[in-house]
Amino acid sequence: MPKVLVVDDDATVREVVVSYLRAAGHEVREAVDGPGALDAVRDEPADLIVLDVMMPGLDGLEVARRLRVASDVPIVLLTALGSEQDRVVGLEIGADDYVTKPFSPRELVLRVDSILRRSAGSLDTSTPTVLTDGDLVVDRARRLVTRGGAETALTTREFDLLAFLVSRPGVAFSRDDLLQQVWGWSFGDQSTVTVHVRRLREKVEPDPTNPVRLRTVWGVGYRWETTS
């Protein structure tokens, strides 16, 4: 049974989210603030964290930053912030997804389930288990990426995007294509793709400012170019 930690200072929101997640078959724990969330993770690791951004004191963004120092646990942010820049900040910190308040609890459960399925490593058997491009190795079964022999830490969404593109070199995909084919979203904010591409470049490109692997196709989207 997947273990989900729900962190929100609003008791009503917390109760609704916990109720829907439990009904969907998840084991759920709760925390009411940032310090409580960090303590809960130290006491018992979670498979996914639903994390409110706007909490007093230690807010959700700072909690996510601290978690990312030592953990790649999937994080879904709950945010009442409306601007694209606010959402981008959360993704750049390393959150896997976000849901904007007010939200549908059913949609949140679908997002959570989607991330957990992918992080569990369900494989498309038509694609090789291990993908290699020069010094970059993507092990889909172990969900492990190495570059020059050193392990590269990726979030669940970053890994899914990288594995998808590396397995389809030379093919250009629009942002909408990637939202749908990589993460199964029939709708979504295209800035999600843009941020994950930028983060991937920082981790797999020799020079992220002049990418040679994950190339921009102007007017279309992105394309993976092999270097081997």
Side-chain angles (χ1 to χ4, degrees), residues 15-16 19 30 42 68 84 113 123-124 141 172 180 190 192 205 210:
E15 180 181 350
V16 170
S19 174
E30 303 175 46
R42 280 191 290 266
R68 278 291 170 259
E84 178 178 321
D113 287 344
L123 293 181
D124 173 7
Q180 186 166 6
Q190 292 187 357
T192 299
E205 292 281 4
N210 185 30

Side-chain angles (χ1 to χ4, degrees), residues 31 37 89 92-93 103 107-108 121 125 145 153 192:
V89 169
E92 287 181 333
I93 288 170
F103 59 87
E107 178 189 348
L108 174 61
T125 56
V145 174
T192 299

Side-chain angles (χ1 to χ4, degrees), residues 133-182:
D133 181 8
D135 67 345
L136 185 71
V137 179
V138 180
D139 188 328
R140 297 171 59 246
R142 299 168 64 197
R143 294 189 70 85
L144 177 69
V145 174
T146 59
R147 182 178 165 209
E151 184 174 345
T152 300
L154 300 180
T155 68
T156 299
R157 294 242 182 258
E158 290 168 355
F159 183 92
D160 293 339
L161 180 59
L162 179 64
F164 179 86
L165 291 170
V166 174
S167 67
R168 297 162 177 81
V171 180
F173 295 95
S174 70
R175 291 171 179 82
D176 281 337
D177 289 337
L178 295 172
L179 282 171
Q180 186 166 6
Q181 295 184 45
V182 179

Side-chain angles (χ1 to χ4, degrees), residues 91-92 94-97 155-159 161 183 185 190-202 214:
L91 295 170
E92 287 181 333
D96 295 86
D97 201 355
T155 68
T156 299
R157 294 242 182 258
E158 290 168 355
F159 183 92
L161 180 59
W183 301 314
W185 297 0
Q190 292 187 357
S191 65
T192 299
V193 177
T194 305
V195 172
H196 285 306
V197 165
R198 182 162 64 245
R199 287 178 58 83
L200 273 181
R201 283 172 171 165
E202 292 171 355
L214 214 176

Side-chain angles (χ1 to χ4, degrees), residues 5 10 23 31 38 74-75 103 105 113 116 126 130 144 154-155 170 225-226:
L5 175 64
D10 186 320
L38 296 174
I75 298 172
F103 59 87
D113 287 344
L116 287 172
S126 65
V130 178
L144 177 69
L154 300 180
T155 68
E225 292 289 352
T226 58

Side-chain angles (χ1 to χ4, degrees), residues 97-117:
D97 201 355
Y98 66 87
V99 177
T100 303
K101 295 179 180 180
F103 59 87
S104 161
R106 291 185 178 87
E107 178 189 348
L108 174 61
V109 171
L110 289 173
R111 296 286 183 98
V112 167
D113 287 344
S114 173
I115 294 173
L116 287 172
R117 279 196 303 271

